[in-house]
Amino acid sequence: MRAGVELSNTEEPDEELRQEQEFVDGLYARVDALRADAETSVTDALAQGSTPMQARLERDILVTERSGLLAALNAVDGSLCFGRIDLASGAAHHIGRIGLRAADADRTPVLIDWRAEVARPFYLATGHTPMGLRRRRHITSEGRRVTALHDEILDLGDRTRTGHEDPSGDAVLLAALDSARTGRMGDIVRTIQADQDRIIRAPHRGVLVVEGGPGTGKTAVALHRAAYLLYEHRELLARRAVLVVGPNPAFLGYIGEVLPSLGETGVLLATVGELFPGVRATGTDTPEAAAVKGGAAMADVLAAAVRARQALPDPVVAIEHDREVLMLDDDLVRVARDRARAAKLPHNEAREYFEGHVLNTLTDMVAERIGTDPYDGAGLLDAADITQIRDDLAENPEVRAAVDRLWPRLTPQRLVADLLAAPEGFLSAEDAAAVRRPVTRHWTAADVPLLDEAAELLGVDDRIARDRADRERREQIAYAQGVLDVSYASRTYEFEDVDDEDAEVLLAHDIIDAERFAERQEEEDHRSAAERAAADRTWAFGHIIVDEAQELSPMAWRLLMRRCPTRSMTLVGDPAQTAEAAGVGSWAEILAPYVGDRWKHTRLAVNYRTPAEVMELAAAVVRAGDPGFVPPASVRSTGVRPWVRAARDLPAAVAEAVRELTPDEGRLAVIAPRELHGALAARLDGVTAGAEPDLTRRVVLLDPRQSKGLEFDSVLVVEPARYGTSDLYVALTRATQHLGVLHTGELPEGLAGEGPVREE
């Protein structure tokens, strides 16, 4: 059998294939047994119902562990084992997506997790540096069936041959690069390269910046790094969770299967627009509005907006109390406001100080009118009377209304909505015009960092929530007591004819009181750490990974830094692809306010996705404005040059090009300006405009920003002159095989050169 040739359904397997198939069959038998055991354990544990505290804790731990194991086993069901390393010592280790042990008493390892240190030579060993290996084997499978083997000889003195030798050692990598796309990113665990492995296994403390051009695999590296960190620091990161931030929902859907395929389900994937619980960003901003909202100055603007809501009387507030009028003037309220601000608390939390000082001031007024010195108590009223006056004032609706007017309780949504509806006085006339909008408009992704900043400035006045919780708690206990009373009455009636000396039956009253009974009825929280983190704005993640990090605004970075106080982050991106108006683009500028120069930078310089012919054209576009631009080096060439074609009837030309470019297998992306989507979708079967694209469809319609981080077998770029340089660079580098360009007007510099095949 020739190296790299897959086994057909009719071909008889050789001895090497047969042995590997037997091994894999044994692995799946073990997986099936573990899966059955996990399902049984979870079912039995949940069936136990309420239990004493310690037993309930143990049960919750078991449910969490077994549920996680079950999810991992289900996720990695295909191609569980993908490699083997044969050591010079004679030992051999099979490498897989998860680690498995035998069912014997010693729990002997039978499959090594790809993240374990012993598996590292599988990725790093070379003929020059064999790292103790004599052979490396890549195992290709379809589901549970082994279909091909590719062996690399690392010890040239070893004369043993299997018939599956791969002289170049690149067959598996090139096969993965040439395979048809499915609309979902696949893991690269079988083909991790040495430069990628070093990044994946880098220490997790601190900030690591991974820069790389199109096709360098930086997103895949970041996701595999998340899986590695969860393996290496399981106790810490499983408890605190890992957050992966992507540029848009379509991208998150595209990468959503990678981590589960590696056995990891405890990761939260989100866009910045999804990081404020209870808010879903469905609106869009103009580039000008997004730039203003994303600017660092908005932190000061929001702080000023909060201070503006801490008002003074104009000129006085009159409060009727016990048929008298109490006057709160500017000076009195200013003292209360200054003392509340001096507490250095968020606005809603400081309200208690403001309200307390106002009540003290009004109490002094009433006491003085009655003729009592409120400080030494001399006069008609004693301390109890003074306290009663203060309590009465606190219940006065006019006092509460005055406090609400002068120091209102605010929500982040109310503060930001009011600011954007009337930004004058807080922003320049130009910036105010850019962001102004009606209060009823949907939230945008650029609003979410503002909401988060507002939440920090406002805090939570939880007195009302505490009072409500206490009231609900008392009601639960009262209900529980009623249940116990009914139970006691019914059981007493049942045994009323039994002699006292024979009445040894324990009743509910004898073993539990109403408070403990109420506790047992409370709903238990079985959510994972990632699920709890998604619902908690104040959650501190153990590690954060940010894809397309160059696109985030300064305000978005403030949000993310609050989510990770330890500053344990992996940031991946490419400044050359910065397209958002609010994007920072400079790593030093992003990180200096938070970690100074205490961050590490590394670069991926090899392009695994984009063929050399396509990359040459895309680089020419960038070089038109930046002659010194150096693109990543492509590892492969298809021999097919991109083509550029002028069109008169653009929708018809797009429909014809789609028929031409759509691969027999795989996916095609039509990348066009958003304003053309309606007309183009009308000519393309099964393609819709104005919705989040379904990347699993054969043909999808995207704008350049939606295509960031994605890849397709074929790409058709429409009207390139309407894109900025960064957007055009992104659009041109999404293809793994074929690229076409359609235009009706002038071409941008770079596309008009000699690189593409020009067609009329």
Side-chain angles (χ1 to χ4, degrees):
M1 178 179 292
R2 297 192 306 276
V5 176
E6 292 191 358
L7 183 69
S8 70
N9 289 329
T10 58
E11 188 175 355
E12 193 69 25
D14 65 10
E15 182 62 18
E16 292 287 333
L17 273 168
R18 187 190 63 77
Q19 290 178 3
E20 294 295 0
Q21 184 65 64
E22 287 182 356
F23 176 79
V24 169
D25 289 342
L27 289 180
Y28 281 111
R30 177 68 175 141
V31 166
D32 291 340
L34 286 170
R35 182 185 288 115
D37 179 61
E39 290 174 342
T40 301
S41 297
V42 171
T43 301
D44 291 348
L46 292 176
Q48 292 177 15
S50 296
T51 58
M53 187 63 68
Q54 182 61 34
R56 187 169 66 186
L57 178 61
E58 293 174 357
R59 185 200 73 183
D60 290 348
I61 292 173
L62 183 146
V63 169
T64 301
E65 290 180 347
R66 293 295 182 171
S67 296
L69 173 63
L70 190 58
L73 293 174
N74 289 335
V76 301
D77 202 16
S79 301
L80 180 62
C81 174
F82 56 81
R84 192 181 87 184
I85 50 177
D86 295 352
L87 281 63
S89 64
H93 301 297
H94 281 84
I95 313 298
R97 298 175 187 278
I98 60 173
L100 286 175
R101 294 179 179 272
D104 56 29
D106 296 331
R107 291 177 50 77
T108 306
V110 292
L111 184 65
I112 304 299
D113 192 297
W114 67 275
R115 296 164 288 191
E117 188 63 24
V118 70
R120 200 169 190 192
F122 181 79
Y123 300 109
L124 298 184
T126 65
H128 185 266
T129 309
M131 300 179 69
L133 302 190
R134 64 181 183 87
R135 181 189 304 272
R136 170 171 46 215
R137 167 169 287 178
H138 292 269
I139 301 172
T140 302
S141 302
E142 290 181 2
R144 299 189 175 196
R145 180 172 176 267
V146 177
T147 57
L149 306 177
H150 295 82
D151 289 345
E152 297 176 62
I153 305 300
L154 299 174
D155 179 2
L156 299 181
D158 183 358
R159 300 302 179 185
T160 304
R161 295 295 181 266
T162 64
H164 296 275
E165 281 70 26
D166 173 13
S168 70
D170 293 331
V172 174
L173 173 63
L174 293 176
L177 297 178
D178 287 331
S179 63
R181 270 45 192 172
T182 64
R184 293 287 182 263
M185 175 181 276
D187 64 70
I188 60 169
V189 66
R190 299 173 62 233
T191 59
I192 293 171
Q193 302 300 293
D195 58 338
Q196 297 171 331
D197 183 82
R198 283 189 286 271
I199 295 171
I200 289 170
R201 298 174 189 264
H204 93 286
R205 293 294 185 184
V207 177
L208 175 65
V209 174
V210 182
E211 185 177 327
T216 55
K218 54 187 180 294
T219 297
V221 167
L223 294 173
H224 287 69
R225 176 164 169 75
Y228 170 76
L229 293 177
L230 282 163
Y231 172 85
E232 190 71 7
H233 307 281
R234 176 72 61 190
E235 183 176 351
L236 171 64
L237 296 183
R239 184 174 67 251
R240 299 309 311 162
V242 172
L243 171 65
V244 176
V245 179
N248 54 60
F251 175 83
L252 295 181
Y254 176 66
I255 68 172
E257 296 178 2
V258 173
L259 286 166
S261 76
L262 301 175
E264 298 298 343
T265 57
V267 179
L268 176 63
L269 276 62
T271 65
V272 169
E274 296 169 329
L275 290 178
F276 194 88
V279 167
R280 186 165 178 258
T282 58
T284 57
D285 276 313
T286 64
E288 295 78 14
V292 174
K293 292 178 182 181
M298 284 302 295
D300 293 332
V301 169
L302 286 165
V306 172
R307 292 174 69 88
R309 303 301 288 270
Q310 299 164 359
L312 296 174
D314 184 22
V316 296
V317 174
I319 297 171
E320 183 176 347
H321 183 72
D322 281 349
R323 297 184 299 279
E324 293 190 17
V325 176
L326 307 176
M327 309 296 287
L328 279 176
D329 61 22
D330 182 279
D331 290 337
L332 292 174
V333 174
R334 180 177 285 106
V335 171
R337 185 181 70 175
D338 291 346
R339 292 188 179 181
R341 287 177 173 175
K344 303 296 184 182
L345 292 172
H347 171 87
N348 288 330
E349 296 173 33
R351 173 188 161 103
E352 184 175 356
Y353 289 81
F354 178 81
E355 182 180 5
H357 191 78
V358 168
L359 286 173
N360 290 341
T361 299
L362 294 173
T363 301
D364 293 349
M365 290 181 184
V366 174
E368 287 172 1
R369 292 185 183 185
I370 296 175
T372 295
D373 186 333
Y375 296 101
D376 62 19
L380 301 176
L381 305 176
D382 58 19
D385 294 327
I386 298 296
T387 300
Q388 185 61 53
I389 292 173
R390 192 181 191 281
D391 292 344
D392 291 342
L393 285 165
E395 295 298 323
N396 187 325
E398 292 193 20
V399 174
R400 293 200 298 268
V403 172
D404 286 340
R405 185 162 65 252
L406 299 171
W407 197 290
R409 288 188 180 92
L410 296 172
T411 65
Q413 290 91 328
R414 176 181 171 187
L415 179 71
V416 174
D418 288 350
L419 172 63
L420 297 178
E424 293 77 14
F426 299 101
L427 295 167
S428 68
E430 181 180 0
D431 288 349
V435 303
R436 187 187 301 109
R437 73 173 188 217
V439 173
T440 55
R441 190 177 169 188
H442 295 299
W443 297 110
T444 70
D447 292 333
V448 168
L450 303 185
L451 292 168
D452 196 75
E453 187 77 23
E456 288 291 305
L457 293 168
L458 296 175
V460 178
D461 181 359
D462 62 353
R463 286 179 296 166
I464 294 177
R466 289 200 310 266
D467 291 344
R468 184 188 305 115
D470 289 343
R471 184 170 61 254
E472 291 175 353
R473 177 69 174 159
R474 290 193 298 271
E475 291 174 354
Q476 290 171 350
I477 293 174
Y479 175 78
Q481 186 64 58
V483 172
L484 290 174
D485 290 344
V486 171
S487 172
Y488 178 77
S490 62
R491 297 287 284 170
T492 301
Y493 174 79
E494 182 179 344
F495 293 106
E496 64 181 358
D497 294 331
V498 180
D499 294 337
D500 289 343
E501 60 268 20
D502 295 327
E504 298 292 339
V505 179
L506 285 175
L507 302 182
H509 275 80
D510 299 317
I511 58 176
I512 192 170
D513 59 20
E515 186 171 357
R516 189 175 298 274
F517 185 59
E519 285 179 358
R520 292 192 176 184
Q521 310 314 308
E522 294 177 359
E523 183 178 353
E524 298 173 21
D525 190 351
H526 293 297
R527 294 177 300 170
S528 68
E531 291 169 331
R532 285 181 282 121
D536 184 355
R537 191 196 69 81
T538 64
W539 189 273
F541 289 92
H543 192 82
I544 292 181
I545 291 174
V546 185
D547 204 315
E548 303 292 351
Q550 77 281 350
E551 302 287 11
L552 268 59
S553 70
M555 290 301 294
W557 283 114
R558 288 176 66 89
L559 178 156
L560 290 180
M561 292 298 174
R562 282 192 286 268
R563 297 293 196 278
C564 191
T566 61
R567 305 292 189 260
S568 179
M569 295 182 165
T570 302
L571 314 180
V572 298
D574 180 13
Q577 298 184 59
T578 304
E580 295 292 342
V584 178
S586 163
W587 303 122
E589 190 177 349
I590 289 169
L591 296 172
Y594 307 102
V595 296
D597 60 357
R598 300 182 306 279
W599 52 280
K600 294 182 179 180
H601 177 273
T602 187
R603 183 173 180 83
L604 293 168
V606 178
N607 186 336
Y608 296 99
R609 175 182 67 220
T610 317
E613 296 83 358
V614 173
M615 199 64 220
E616 179 183 351
L617 178 63
V621 170
V622 181
R623 286 199 190 102
D626 180 7
F629 174 71
V630 178
S634 297
V635 299
R636 65 194 182 98
S637 171
T638 61
V640 180
R641 294 171 63 191
W643 55 256
V644 175
R645 186 180 300 163
R648 294 179 179 174
D649 182 346
L650 188 63
V654 168
E656 180 182 350
V658 165
R659 288 191 291 271
E660 174 186 339
L661 286 172
T662 300
D664 294 334
E665 296 181 0
R667 302 294 181 270
L668 164 70
V670 178
I671 303 177
R674 180 60 65 93
E675 60 270 20
L676 299 180
H677 282 198
L680 298 182
R683 299 294 295 270
L684 300 174
D685 293 339
V687 175
T688 57
E692 285 296 334
D694 179 0
L695 299 178
T696 63
R697 300 184 70 88
R698 294 292 302 280
V699 179
V700 294
L701 180 61
L702 309 169
D703 65 35
R705 305 288 172 89
Q706 289 177 309
S707 72
K708 292 183 76 69
L710 308 181
E711 60 182 42
F712 304 89
D713 300 270
S714 301
V715 170
L716 177 65
V717 176
V718 180
E719 295 289 35
R722 299 195 190 184
Y723 306 166
T725 300
S726 294
D727 282 340
L728 182 53
Y729 181 53
V730 169
L732 293 172
T733 54
R734 300 305 97 194
T736 65
Q737 301 293 336
H738 305 287
L739 172 66
V741 178
L742 282 175
H743 66 101
T744 58
E746 294 294 323
L747 285 169
E749 192 175 354
L751 283 184
E754 297 298 324
V757 176
R758 304 202 47 79
E759 300 181 358
E760 297 299 331

